[in-house]
Amino acid sequence: NGTVKSRVPSNTTIEIYIPNDEEEKPKFDLALRKFISKVDGVAPTVSREPVIDAQSKTLLDSTGTAAYHHTKDSLKVKVGSKIEYTLRVYNEGEIDGYAAEIKDHLPSNLEFVDGDFNKQYGWTVSEDGRTVTTKYLENAKINKAVKNENPTTPEKTYTLSYKEVPIMCKVKDTAKTDEKGHYEISVPDD
């Protein structure tokens, strides 16, 4: 930072703070993770919810991005099964923020379910049925990442805030089948 000293008429010296161009501004950084939360109204036996461990949080300090761990194995489902998946928006940044709009591309083996469930979250679907959009979280503040410094260790970890919104889709008859004829489905992270 730079300081400029100037004389004012009363012979008083004042200091004016002038920030340098190199000075870093706080970063705004949202991360989207999605996972299957229910199949036909029932949660999978193995949770697919993203987990952020201490190593992931330390990675955030060195790279600016946290690592999220969760199973991505396919689930066995039936044609017509209703799949609820959750889109979770994490704030990895240094300032509070909002997810003004969420846009997602549906996996090719899922189709949007037009009904009350999706309407309550403000979901709309594109004409081709592949892209869904919502502004459901536009007024939901997602708090900044909070650095947790432990005085006994050199590691820094973070507590990450998030907001989430579910969406419901249906398994299309074009979903892949395994060797036993079961349909398999997964929702890849973006």
Side-chain angles (χ1 to χ4, degrees), residues 29-161:
D29 187 11
L30 297 180
L32 176 74
R33 297 293 178 263
K34 54 189 177 179
F35 57 97
I36 296 172
S37 38
K38 293 182 182 173
V39 175
D40 291 326
V42 179
T45 53
V46 175
S47 174
R48 302 171 75 82
E49 189 170 336
V51 175
I52 307 169
D53 57 21
Q55 181 181 1
S56 307
K57 293 176 184 177
T58 303
L59 183 65
L60 178 63
D61 195 43
S62 62
T63 67
T65 301
Y68 302 83
H69 308 285
H70 59 103
T71 183
K72 295 180 184 178
D73 296 336
S74 297
L75 293 174
K76 293 180 179 15
V77 296
K78 299 174 189 158
V79 168
S81 287
K82 300 258 174 93
I83 306 298
E84 182 181 319
Y85 71 90
T86 301
L87 292 99
R88 184 175 285 177
V89 182
Y90 289 91
N91 188 347
E92 296 179 352
E94 299 166 335
I95 57 176
D96 296 342
Y98 298 84
E101 181 176 85
I102 297 173
K103 190 173 280 197
D104 190 37
H105 301 285
L106 295 178
S108 61
N109 49 7
L110 293 179
E111 64 184 34
F112 181 77
V113 173
D114 189 19
D116 290 341
F117 184 89
N118 286 329
K119 284 180 184 167
Q120 71 182 316
Y121 298 106
W123 287 109
T124 59
V125 64
S126 61
E127 285 185 33
D128 68 1
R130 304 304 330 135
T131 304
V132 291
T133 305
T134 185
K135 293 184 178 186
Y136 182 74
L137 298 178
E138 71 181 331
N139 295 314
K141 181 168 75 170
I142 308 171
N143 296 324
K144 66 183 178 181
V146 177
K147 191 181 288 189
N148 308 312
E149 297 198 40
N150 184 341
T152 61
T153 64
E155 292 104 23
K156 295 175 199 152
T157 62
Y158 290 80
T159 299
L160 299 178
S161 294

